[in-house]
Amino acid sequence: MWKSMQPGRPGLGVSAAIAALLAAGCGGGSGDAGDSQAQAGRIQPEKTLEIRTVSNRADLVTDGDALVEIVLPERAALPSLKVAVNGRDVSDAFAQRADGRVTGLVTGLSVGSNVLTAQAGGGRRAQLTLTNATRGGPVYSGTQVVPFFCATPVPQPTGGTGENATPATNASGLQGQPDAQCNIATEYKLYYRSTASANCTFGLPDPSPSVPPTATAPAASVPPPSNACFKPYDPAGPQPLDMATTTTDDDRTVPYIVRVERGTMNRGIYDIAVLFDPARPWSATAPQAQWNGKVYYNFGASTGQPRRQVRPATAWTSLSAQIGRGWLVVMNSMTDSARNSNRVLMSETVMMMKERIGDGYGPIRYTMGAGCSGGSINSNMNASINPGLLDGITTTCTYPDSETTTLEVGDCVLLVDAYQKPQMASLWGTLTQAQVNAKKAAINGHPDQSACHAWYNAFGSNGRAGVYQPRLVADNVTGAIVQRPTPTNNCEMPNSAVYDPARPAATAHLPRCNAWSWAEPIWGKVPGSPAAQDTRDNVGVQYGLKALQDGAISGEEFVTLNEIVGGIDRDSTPRAQRTTADMAALETAYRAGIVASGRQLAKTAIIDMRGWDDSNINVPPGQTPGTNAIPIHHQWFSFAVRDRIAAEAGDANNQALWRFARTGLTPPGTMALDAFLTMDQWLTALKADTSDTPLHQKVRQARPASSRDFCLLPGDASQSVKVTDQAVCDADPFLKPSLSPRQVAGGPRREDVLKCQLKPVNDADYAGRLDAGQLARLRAVFSTGVCDWSQPGMGQQVAVSPLNFSAGPGGVPFGPAPASVPR
């Protein structure tokens, strides 16, 4: 099954390419071969001089520096080594390190091509071209979208008027002023962990002003917590009496002092936090010993596409469990889903941050990603868009990706609107509200109507391209909708400075504010239009089909619903016609891994902690109705991930699924810590396997027994009894996955079909529940056909990610990573 999914030979992922380079010519395992050759009377070729980049591919270097390894010929003496970049001697940067390797940090690289040469013993020479991009990006995600408004040391108020109006700026948490690319000078601060852990607060010890100034008031500052768990540390002052110690995972007990590096990368603001000894130096070639070489990458939640630079959503202080064990933790606002919904740009930022760590702190053993909701999207999409950036992920509130999650959002918006139309009100006029809601639940595929209401309110307007007035479900029982009077937009810009669908011609040149326009360098524009191509589509979708077949709704309700449900245009404005996707965007979504690819996900170790968030009316034992304010993280999404991996890789044994319900979305007890420690064990075993076994097989072989699937039944008040019989888990109504509107319409649970292929209406599909008149009306609705779910989606194809978008939308596969050549 796995081999049948392989395309020709796409470009290697960044980490995979580095691994291939490091594996080549290392001299390991040559003894037997050498003996055989000697016995056969053949002379083994002498090892040549070789140059390797350590932290990234040589053609994807950023920020003007690169950690480089020189592999010397066997008889070459280190003192004879001469290294130069663009003719400039950098030999002094290189030395033999504690691990026996000859490495050095090459700095001062120019933007573009840089020729690195090395010469040693007997005149042997090698050359490698390094291609360097600025820290402001981009590298391979295409042209950066403008306008984009930089953060400032103190937030500034809105300025200008009309089309030239600018939004208020966010506080950067940095002292320097941004340049034109939003680069701000990097800063370092020291903090220590207080022993007053029982009552301390994990808030940031350096919060930024949160409210921009006005004409009459200065920026409103937020003071540090009075009982902060982490406090500023002055290495020149006396040792704090309340300074804690910590023991790392390799049994080093050290003072709990943390250095926080804050800077900018790819127009995002980042924090890097790690245990630090102020009395000792730290370099990439000589890291401090309390860092275990492991990286924990935290991704922020939600989703959005505002055009304002901001600090990361996650406070590094909240990751003390990782920091205290010796991990380096990192986050960047461009990898926070609420701030950036261009997933290729997000993955590029992860690559750039990992290179920053490699070049500034030392080689990385492995990287674990983590996040909830939008953070789970970014975790999974890294594994799909650029496999190898993350070696393992631990997620909660899991979604597979943003494009296919949009299917349920869009369907719920259309259905909630349709339920309020007079045609449905007329059909349901004699029913009780409970009967009406039961029909809605059957069509939606959810336990009740509240989940679609939640999608409508939380993200129903997220696709709006310009100025709009929010519409919200005001009554969770009836589904009544109200419209707010104040217009807004999703760019977080003044309304006068963005596109307005009410004035399409006059404002066509102004920024558009939906996810597809934000990622326009990936999707491209609609020919002859300033709008971006996108993937939204509901042509041929028969809403409520399963509900009809099961007798939950009548034939008249089914036909009427599909007559009136309609679709949206590119601005997300409702219309009578169905929504139609752009074929080029569909093909890009699959080829680039933007639709999370099971084949790519299979290469990553996954622990998915799936809680209950399917309803805020029907709740498990121990919860109060209304606890889940926006129930949108549905059980079935975790199974969609599993189904995709199994379909494309033969099995989903790289995904551990830990289910619970009693505590909502928050893992109970020590589950989150257990997942972190189990994933650490899993990745340690994975990296210990240096065989040539394919990565997806290594991941499965390294999986620890402690990661096996289980559930905690909601009736278990202690939440401590792990049930491993999946049939028992599935029998519980709060652990069993429900459906989505597309699945009720006949679609697969893996929900990876963005636009279906069509087939003619077949009378046999409706269980005899439609009369001749209703069938005729249905054929009129679906004049081009209904979804044929037995076929792949339109444009659906095997992912060949990662793709390079430097040359424009659509992307092309990367070639092999550059290697040094003899001179």
Side-chain angles (χ1 to χ4, degrees):
M1 178 65 178
W2 178 268
K3 291 182 179 179
S4 70
M5 298 302 298
Q6 302 290 336
R9 180 172 171 83
L12 291 171
V14 172
S15 295
I18 295 169
L21 282 175
L22 294 178
C26 293
S30 62
D32 292 341
D35 291 344
S36 298
Q37 289 173 342
Q39 291 169 5
R42 293 191 295 271
I43 299 175
Q44 186 175 10
E46 187 174 350
K47 186 188 299 181
T48 60
L49 184 69
E50 186 179 357
I51 308 172
R52 304 171 177 171
T53 51
V54 176
S55 302
N56 207 343
R57 284 171 55 128
D59 55 349
L60 298 176
V61 171
T62 62
D63 199 25
D65 56 14
L67 185 61
V68 173
E69 178 184 8
I70 306 294
V71 179
L72 295 173
E74 292 174 359
R75 290 190 292 272
L78 181 61
S80 70
L81 176 65
K82 299 295 181 184
V83 185
V85 60
N86 299 331
R88 173 170 54 90
D89 188 2
V90 293
S91 303
D92 288 347
F94 288 84
Q96 188 171 35
R97 310 301 173 182
D99 60 2
R101 300 162 70 191
V102 177
T103 58
L105 184 68
V106 177
T107 61
L109 300 178
S110 302
V111 174
S113 296
N114 298 264
V115 178
L116 185 66
T117 59
Q119 180 176 353
R124 295 177 182 83
R125 297 184 180 186
Q127 176 177 306
L128 178 65
T129 298
L130 309 179
T131 305
N132 173 59
T134 68
R135 75 161 31 206
V139 183
Y140 61 78
S141 63
T143 306
Q144 290 177 328
V145 172
V146 293
F148 184 78
F149 299 91
C150 307
T152 50
V154 176
Q156 302 298 311
T158 302
T161 59
E163 292 185 3
N164 296 318
T166 59
T169 65
N170 293 304
S172 65
L174 293 161
Q175 298 302 308
Q177 292 292 335
D179 66 13
Q181 210 175 6
C182 294
N183 297 317
I184 308 173
T186 303
E187 297 175 10
Y188 300 87
K189 294 182 180 179
L190 297 175
Y191 300 93
Y192 73 92
R193 175 71 189 270
S194 171
T195 54
S197 58
N199 300 308
C200 67
T201 301
F202 281 101
L204 280 171
D206 64 332
S208 292
S210 61
V211 180
T214 65
T216 58
S221 333
V222 178
S226 59
N227 59 338
C229 297
F230 286 91
K231 301 178 181 180
Y233 178 77
D234 180 5
Q239 189 88 329
L241 297 177
D242 64 336
M243 187 166 70
T245 60
T246 186
T247 300
T248 65
D249 58 13
D250 59 355
D251 293 324
R252 298 175 187 270
T253 300
V254 296
Y256 203 149
I257 300 172
V258 179
R259 188 180 75 171
V260 178
E261 174 186 338
R262 180 168 297 146
T264 56
M265 189 71 72
N266 218 12
R267 303 200 299 187
I269 298 175
Y270 70 81
D271 281 347
I272 295 173
V274 66
L275 292 173
F276 188 76
D277 180 354
R280 298 172 55 228
W282 188 324
S283 70
T285 54
Q288 291 188 6
Q290 68 276 6
W291 179 42
N292 56 24
K294 305 170 188 176
V295 172
Y296 187 86
Y297 205 114
N298 188 268
F299 298 95
S302 192
T303 194
Q305 47 279 338
R307 306 227 178 173
R308 299 194 300 158
Q309 189 183 39
V310 68
R311 283 173 63 170
T314 303
W316 61 266
T317 50
S318 67
L319 302 175
S320 61
Q322 288 77 20
I323 296 171
R325 285 176 167 81
W327 288 63
L328 179 150
V329 303
V330 58
M331 59 283 296
N332 182 309
S333 56
M334 275 295 174
T335 59
D336 284 345
S337 188
R339 311 308 300 183
N340 172 26
S341 53
N342 179 339
R343 310 301 171 170
V344 175
L345 171 61
M346 176 272 300
S347 294
E348 174 186 74
T349 305
V350 174
M351 179 197 74
M352 295 172 74
M353 291 305 306
K354 288 191 64 176
E355 185 190 350
R356 166 64 201 134
I357 294 165
D359 291 350
Y361 293 81
I364 297 171
R365 288 177 61 187
Y366 49 76
T367 304
M368 185 191 306
C372 166
S373 193
S376 72
I377 286 176
N378 282 352
S379 298
N380 284 318
M381 294 189 76
N382 264 282
S384 178
I385 291 172
N386 203 334
L389 283 181
L390 305 177
D391 299 291
I393 59 178
T394 60
T395 61
T396 56
C397 341
T398 301
Y399 299 117
D401 58 68
S402 51
E403 293 305 303
T404 58
T405 302
T406 298
L407 295 176
E408 188 173 65
V409 182
D411 288 343
C412 277
V413 169
L414 293 176
L415 290 170
V416 169
D417 278 336
Y419 297 150
Q420 298 299 309
K421 292 179 179 179
Q423 296 94 323
M424 296 306 293
S426 176
L427 288 175
W428 289 341
T430 61
L431 302 180
T432 66
Q433 190 63 56
Q435 291 173 321
V436 169
N437 288 341
K439 291 177 179 291
K440 291 179 181 178
I443 296 166
N444 300 347
H446 303 150
D448 53 59
Q449 75 281 2
S450 65
C452 266
H453 293 169
W455 274 129
Y456 193 100
N457 286 357
F459 293 102
S461 297
N462 201 57
R464 295 281 186 168
V467 179
Y468 67 95
Q469 289 179 263
R471 286 168 52 84
L472 300 171
V473 174
D475 189 317
N476 201 29
V477 176
T478 67
I481 298 169
V482 297
Q483 182 167 292
R484 289 182 174 173
T486 305
T488 188
N489 67 81
N490 294 322
C491 286
E492 292 186 2
M493 292 173 61
N495 289 333
S496 61
V498 303
Y499 168 70
D500 187 349
R503 300 183 297 123
T507 61
H509 63 289
L510 295 178
R512 280 170 157 75
C513 304
N514 61 16
W516 297 274
S517 290
W518 175 245
E520 182 185 296
I522 308 305
W523 305 114
K525 289 184 178 181
V526 176
S529 167
Q533 299 193 79
D534 76 55
T535 63
R536 293 173 291 180
D537 195 282
N538 72 336
V539 174
V541 176
Q542 300 184 85
Y543 292 106
L545 177 61
K546 185 177 185 300
L548 170 72
Q549 294 167 338
D550 293 344
I553 61 174
S554 69
E556 186 61 28
E557 290 167 335
F558 171 71
V559 174
T560 300
L561 175 64
N562 282 284
E563 286 176 328
I564 68 173
V565 71
I568 54 173
D569 64 13
R570 296 187 187 279
D571 298 333
S572 292
T573 304
R575 67 182 189 185
Q577 297 82 19
R578 296 289 181 113
T579 309
T580 305
D582 298 292
M583 183 57 68
L586 295 171
E587 293 172 349
T588 297
Y590 290 111
R591 290 178 65 248
I594 295 172
V595 171
S597 157
R599 173 177 174 270
Q600 303 293 54
L601 289 172
K603 303 171 186 177
T604 303
I606 300 172
I607 297 179
D608 182 343
M609 293 168 278
R610 168 54 68 187
W612 168 262
D613 194 40
D614 287 37
S615 168
N616 61 12
I617 297 173
N618 188 25
V619 298
Q623 283 192 31
T624 302
T627 299
N628 299 329
I630 50 169
I632 56 176
H633 307 91
H634 305 149
Q635 300 273 334
W636 70 265
F637 283 109
S638 293
F639 291 87
V641 173
R642 173 159 292 189
D643 289 355
R644 291 189 199 182
I645 299 172
E648 296 190 32
D651 65 66
N653 292 335
N654 66 305
Q655 183 211 38
L657 185 53
W658 298 358
R659 285 187 274 172
F660 58 95
R662 190 180 182 93
T663 55
L665 286 176
T666 304
T670 63
M671 181 184 285
L673 178 60
D674 293 344
F676 165 67
L677 296 176
T678 300
M679 182 57 70
D680 186 18
Q681 180 185 358
W682 194 340
L683 297 182
T684 297
L686 174 63
K687 291 301 180 179
D689 184 351
T690 58
S691 70
D692 293 330
T693 303
L695 179 57
H696 72 282
Q697 294 179 13
K698 286 186 180 183
V699 171
R700 286 151 175 76
Q701 292 168 3
R703 180 174 175 175
S706 57
S707 71
R708 69 181 301 184
D709 291 0
F710 70 85
C711 72
L712 303 176
L713 296 175
D716 173 17
S718 69
Q719 290 293 277
S720 61
V721 180
K722 295 181 179 180
V723 177
T724 57
D725 185 335
Q726 297 304 299
V728 174
C729 298
D730 290 341
D732 189 283
F734 298 104
L735 297 174
K736 181 180 180 179
S738 58
L739 304 174
S740 71
R742 292 268 163 137
Q743 291 166 47
V744 175
R749 186 172 65 178
R750 63 182 183 273
E751 200 121 315
D752 58 354
V753 175
L754 295 172
K755 178 179 178 64
C756 65
Q757 295 193 51
L758 301 177
K759 65 178 183 178
V761 172
N762 183 350
D763 298 4
D765 291 342
Y766 308 105
R769 299 183 185 278
L770 302 183
D771 61 29
Q774 291 164 345
L775 284 168
R777 288 163 56 199
L778 197 68
R779 287 191 172 87
V781 172
F782 297 108
S783 59
T784 58
V786 296
C787 285
D788 183 353
W789 300 110
S790 68
Q791 300 297 316
M794 298 289 287
Q796 190 166 5
Q797 55 195 277
V798 173
V800 291
S801 50
L803 297 183
N804 187 343
F805 293 85
S806 298
V812 296
F814 283 95
S820 67
V821 294
R823 289 185 65 231

